[in-house]
Protein backbone atom coordinates (compact mmCIF):
# COMPACT_ATOMS: atom_id res chain seq x y z
CA UNK A 1 0.00 0.00 0.00
CA UNK A 2 2.76 2.43 0.96
CA UNK A 3 4.63 1.61 -2.25
CA UNK A 4 1.45 2.35 -4.20
CA UNK A 5 0.99 5.69 -2.45
CA UNK A 6 4.62 6.62 -3.07
CA UNK A 7 4.26 5.69 -6.75
CA UNK A 8 1.10 7.77 -7.11
CA UNK A 9 2.76 10.73 -5.39
CA UNK A 10 5.82 10.43 -7.62
CA UNK A 11 3.66 10.32 -10.76
CA UNK A 12 1.65 13.31 -9.56
CA UNK A 13 4.83 15.26 -8.83
CA UNK A 14 6.17 14.42 -12.29
CA UNK A 15 2.95 15.54 -13.94
CA UNK A 16 2.92 18.82 -11.98
CA UNK A 17 6.53 19.43 -13.00
CA UNK A 18 5.62 18.89 -16.67
CA UNK A 19 2.62 21.21 -16.37
CA UNK A 20 4.80 23.83 -14.66
CA UNK A 21 7.05 23.86 -17.74
CA UNK A 22 4.14 25.12 -19.85
CA UNK A 23 4.15 28.47 -18.03
CA UNK A 24 7.25 30.50 -17.20
CA UNK A 25 6.68 33.87 -15.56
CA UNK A 26 9.40 36.41 -16.26
CA UNK A 27 9.50 37.64 -12.68
CA UNK A 28 9.32 34.17 -11.15
CA UNK A 29 6.03 35.05 -9.43
CA UNK A 30 3.69 32.40 -8.08
CA UNK A 31 1.01 31.08 -10.41
CA UNK A 32 -2.63 31.93 -9.91
CA UNK A 33 -5.15 29.10 -9.85
CA UNK A 34 -6.40 30.20 -13.26
CA UNK A 35 -2.88 30.14 -14.71
CA UNK A 36 -2.54 26.58 -13.43
CA UNK A 37 -5.78 25.72 -15.27
CA UNK A 38 -4.47 27.16 -18.53
CA UNK A 39 -1.12 25.39 -18.13
CA UNK A 40 -2.99 22.14 -17.47
CA UNK A 41 -5.08 22.67 -20.62
CA UNK A 42 -1.93 23.20 -22.72
CA UNK A 43 -0.32 20.11 -21.17
CA UNK A 44 -3.43 18.03 -21.92
CA UNK A 45 -3.52 19.20 -25.53
CA UNK A 46 0.15 18.39 -25.99
CA UNK A 47 -0.45 14.92 -24.56
CA UNK A 48 -3.65 14.06 -26.42
CA UNK A 49 -4.04 16.20 -29.56
CA UNK A 50 -2.11 14.71 -32.47
CA UNK A 51 -2.51 17.89 -34.56
CA UNK A 52 -0.90 20.09 -31.92
CA UNK A 53 1.42 17.73 -30.05
CA UNK A 54 4.61 18.40 -32.03
CA UNK A 55 4.15 22.17 -32.19
CA UNK A 56 3.26 22.55 -28.50
CA UNK A 57 6.24 20.53 -27.31
CA UNK A 58 8.61 23.51 -27.22
CA UNK A 59 6.05 26.22 -26.48
CA UNK A 60 5.16 27.79 -23.15
CA UNK A 61 3.32 30.89 -21.93
CA UNK A 62 4.18 33.75 -19.56
CA UNK A 63 0.81 34.14 -17.90
CA UNK A 64 -2.97 34.10 -18.25
CA UNK A 65 -5.91 36.07 -16.93
CA UNK A 66 -9.68 36.30 -17.21
CA UNK A 67 -11.21 39.62 -18.22
CA UNK A 68 -14.91 40.46 -18.13
CA UNK A 69 -16.00 42.18 -21.32
CA UNK A 70 -19.30 43.68 -22.46
CA UNK A 71 -22.33 41.54 -23.12
CA UNK A 72 -21.62 39.31 -20.15
CA UNK A 73 -18.77 37.58 -21.97
CA UNK A 74 -15.46 36.57 -20.45
CA UNK A 75 -12.13 36.62 -22.25
CA UNK A 76 -9.21 34.33 -21.54
CA UNK A 77 -6.06 36.34 -22.25
CA UNK A 78 -2.93 34.25 -22.69
CA UNK A 79 0.42 36.03 -22.64
CA UNK A 80 3.08 34.33 -24.76
CA UNK A 81 6.82 35.10 -25.03
CA UNK A 82 7.53 37.55 -27.83
CA UNK A 83 10.20 35.28 -29.32
CA UNK A 84 7.66 32.41 -29.44
CA UNK A 85 4.88 34.48 -31.02
CA UNK A 86 5.46 33.33 -34.61
CA UNK A 87 5.44 29.70 -33.52
CA UNK A 88 2.14 30.26 -31.70
CA UNK A 89 0.74 32.09 -34.74
CA UNK A 90 1.32 29.00 -36.89
CA UNK A 91 -1.08 26.97 -34.76
CA UNK A 92 -3.13 29.80 -33.29
CA UNK A 93 -6.45 29.10 -35.00
CA UNK A 94 -6.40 25.42 -34.07
CA UNK A 95 -5.10 26.12 -30.57
CA UNK A 96 -7.71 28.79 -29.84
CA UNK A 97 -10.46 26.50 -31.11
CA UNK A 98 -9.38 23.71 -28.75
CA UNK A 99 -8.91 26.02 -25.77
CA UNK A 100 -12.35 27.56 -26.30
CA UNK A 101 -13.78 24.05 -26.06
CA UNK A 102 -12.02 23.57 -22.71
CA UNK A 103 -13.05 27.01 -21.42
CA UNK A 104 -16.59 26.73 -22.70
CA UNK A 105 -18.34 30.03 -23.42
CA UNK A 106 -15.17 32.11 -23.11
CA UNK A 107 -13.23 33.86 -25.88
CA UNK A 108 -9.53 33.03 -26.00
CA UNK A 109 -6.97 35.55 -27.27
CA UNK A 110 -3.18 35.36 -27.43
CA UNK A 111 -0.95 38.39 -26.95
CA UNK A 112 2.83 38.70 -26.88
CA UNK A 113 4.69 39.82 -23.79
CA UNK A 114 6.38 43.10 -24.72
CA UNK A 115 8.31 45.57 -22.59
CA UNK A 116 7.82 49.31 -22.73
CA UNK A 117 11.04 51.24 -22.12
CA UNK A 118 10.65 54.61 -20.34
CA UNK A 119 11.36 57.83 -22.21
CA UNK A 120 15.07 58.68 -21.78
CA UNK A 121 15.61 61.54 -19.34
CA UNK A 122 18.48 62.93 -21.38
CA UNK A 123 19.36 63.16 -25.03
CA UNK A 124 19.77 59.44 -25.59
CA UNK A 125 16.45 58.80 -27.33
CA UNK A 126 18.21 56.70 -29.95
CA UNK A 127 19.13 54.19 -27.26
CA UNK A 128 15.46 53.19 -26.96
CA UNK A 129 14.28 50.86 -29.77
CA UNK A 130 11.14 52.15 -31.44
CA UNK A 131 9.48 48.75 -30.81
CA UNK A 132 9.76 49.43 -27.06
CA UNK A 133 7.82 52.71 -27.11
CA UNK A 134 4.33 52.89 -25.63
CA UNK A 135 2.82 53.71 -29.03
CA UNK A 136 4.54 50.79 -30.77
CA UNK A 137 3.65 48.27 -28.05
CA UNK A 138 -0.02 49.31 -28.04
CA UNK A 139 -0.16 49.14 -31.86
CA UNK A 140 1.36 45.65 -31.78
CA UNK A 141 -1.21 44.60 -29.16
CA UNK A 142 -4.00 45.52 -31.59
CA UNK A 143 -2.48 43.21 -34.21
CA UNK A 144 -2.05 40.39 -31.67
CA UNK A 145 -5.67 40.59 -30.57
CA UNK A 146 -7.19 40.29 -34.04
CA UNK A 147 -4.68 37.82 -35.56
CA UNK A 148 -4.96 36.33 -38.19
CA UNK A 149 -7.34 39.08 -39.35
CA UNK A 150 -5.50 42.07 -40.81
CA UNK A 151 -5.99 45.68 -39.75
CA UNK A 152 -6.77 47.71 -42.89
CA UNK A 153 -7.17 51.15 -41.33
CA UNK A 154 -7.23 53.26 -38.16
CA UNK A 155 -8.89 56.55 -37.31
CA UNK A 156 -8.58 58.64 -34.15
CA UNK A 157 -11.79 60.35 -33.07
CA UNK A 158 -11.90 63.24 -30.59
CA UNK A 159 -14.98 63.65 -28.43
CA UNK A 160 -16.40 66.96 -27.21
CA UNK A 161 -15.04 66.29 -23.73
CA UNK A 162 -11.54 65.96 -25.12
CA UNK A 163 -11.31 62.18 -24.76
CA UNK A 164 -10.11 60.09 -27.67
CA UNK A 165 -11.56 56.99 -29.30
CA UNK A 166 -9.55 54.87 -31.70
CA UNK A 167 -11.45 53.16 -34.50
CA UNK A 168 -9.74 50.12 -35.98
CA UNK A 169 -10.99 48.74 -39.28
CA UNK A 170 -10.54 45.04 -40.02
CA UNK A 171 -10.35 43.11 -43.28
CA UNK A 172 -13.98 42.48 -44.35
CA UNK A 173 -13.17 39.01 -45.67
CA UNK A 174 -12.94 37.77 -42.07
CA UNK A 175 -16.25 39.24 -40.93
CA UNK A 176 -17.99 35.86 -40.55
CA UNK A 177 -15.26 34.38 -38.34
CA UNK A 178 -14.32 37.48 -36.34
CA UNK A 179 -17.39 39.69 -35.85
CA UNK A 180 -18.62 37.90 -32.72
CA UNK A 181 -15.32 38.74 -30.97
CA UNK A 182 -15.19 42.50 -31.63
CA UNK A 183 -16.44 43.44 -28.16
CA UNK A 184 -13.94 41.02 -26.64
CA UNK A 185 -11.06 42.63 -28.52
CA UNK A 186 -12.15 46.09 -27.33
CA UNK A 187 -12.64 44.99 -23.73
CA UNK A 188 -9.24 43.31 -23.52
CA UNK A 189 -7.47 46.30 -25.11
CA UNK A 190 -9.14 48.69 -22.63
CA UNK A 191 -8.16 46.48 -19.69
CA UNK A 192 -4.52 46.14 -20.79
CA UNK A 193 -3.91 49.74 -21.93
CA UNK A 194 -6.62 51.91 -20.37
CA UNK A 195 -7.51 53.18 -23.85
CA UNK A 196 -10.85 52.95 -25.62
CA UNK A 197 -11.04 51.35 -29.02
CA UNK A 198 -13.78 50.23 -31.38
CA UNK A 199 -13.23 47.47 -33.92
CA UNK A 200 -15.29 47.65 -37.10
CA UNK A 201 -15.42 46.39 -40.64
CA UNK A 202 -15.32 49.05 -43.38
CA UNK A 203 -18.66 49.73 -45.03
CA UNK A 204 -18.41 48.33 -48.52
CA UNK A 205 -20.21 50.38 -51.09
CA UNK A 206 -22.43 48.43 -53.43
CA UNK A 207 -21.59 48.63 -57.11
Amino acid sequence: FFLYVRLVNRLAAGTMSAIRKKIVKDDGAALSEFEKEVAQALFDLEATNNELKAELKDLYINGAQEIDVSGGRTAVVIHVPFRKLKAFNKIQQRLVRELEKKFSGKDVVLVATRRINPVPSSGFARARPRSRTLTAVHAALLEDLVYPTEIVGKRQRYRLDGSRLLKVYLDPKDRNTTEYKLDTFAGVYKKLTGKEVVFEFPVQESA
Side-chain angles (χ1 to χ4, degrees):
F1 175 76
F2 290 112
L3 283 175
Y4 173 76
V5 171
R6 288 175 63 185
L7 178 61
V8 169
N9 288 340
R10 187 177 300 172
L11 289 172
T15 301
M16 281 306 299
S17 176
I19 292 171
R20 186 67 180 80
K21 290 179 181 178
K22 302 311 292 180
I23 179 167
V24 179
K25 305 195 79 165
D26 287 344
D27 54 6
L31 303 185
S32 68
E33 288 304 312
F34 182 68
E35 286 176 326
K36 292 176 184 177
E37 283 185 48
V38 175
Q40 175 76 60
L42 291 171
F43 175 80
D44 291 344
L45 284 174
E46 184 182 329
T48 62
N49 190 298
N50 291 328
E51 282 190 7
L52 297 171
K53 182 179 295 187
E55 288 90 344
L56 282 175
K57 181 181 178 183
D58 297 320
L59 295 180
Y60 59 90
I61 65 174
N62 293 138
Q65 63 188 121
E66 287 183 291
I67 293 177
D68 292 328
V69 295
S70 63
R73 299 180 73 87
T74 301
V76 174
V77 183
I78 299 176
H79 300 267
V80 307
F82 176 73
R83 63 182 179 276
K84 298 282 187 181
L85 180 61
K86 288 186 178 179
F88 271 104
N89 284 163
K90 288 180 182 178
I91 60 169
Q92 185 161 330
Q93 288 175 288
R94 286 176 290 160
L95 179 60
V96 166
R97 185 168 61 245
E98 293 301 322
L99 288 173
E100 287 183 341
K101 290 178 186 176
K102 289 181 175 290
F103 296 97
S104 180
K106 297 177 181 179
D107 297 330
V108 175
V109 294
L110 273 60
V111 300
T113 302
R114 295 182 175 86
R115 288 187 176 85
I116 299 171
N117 286 0
V119 177
S121 56
S122 57
F124 294 99
R126 291 183 180 178
R128 183 174 68 150
R130 187 181 179 282
S131 62
R132 296 287 184 87
T133 64
L134 180 73
T135 300
V137 170
H138 286 182
L141 175 60
L142 290 172
E143 294 180 1
D144 288 351
L145 286 171
V146 302
Y147 185 87
T149 298
E150 290 187 15
I151 294 173
V152 296
K154 296 177 188 176
R155 182 174 296 173
Q156 190 80 253
R157 290 288 179 87
Y158 292 86
R159 298 193 180 102
L160 293 176
D161 62 2
S163 62
R164 292 184 293 181
L165 173 68
L166 177 63
K167 287 198 170 189
V168 176
Y169 298 98
L170 305 178
D171 192 332
K173 71 179 176 60
D174 292 331
R175 179 188 291 269
N176 291 340
T177 57
T178 306
E179 192 164 28
Y180 76 99
K181 273 189 174 181
L182 297 186
D183 288 342
T184 294
F185 297 154
V188 172
Y189 187 79
K190 175 71 180 293
K191 179 71 174 181
L192 297 181
T193 69
K195 297 179 178 179
E196 287 194 62
V197 64
V198 172
F199 293 89
E200 296 180 351
F201 294 96
V203 176
Q204 294 179 299
E205 295 181 5
S206 56

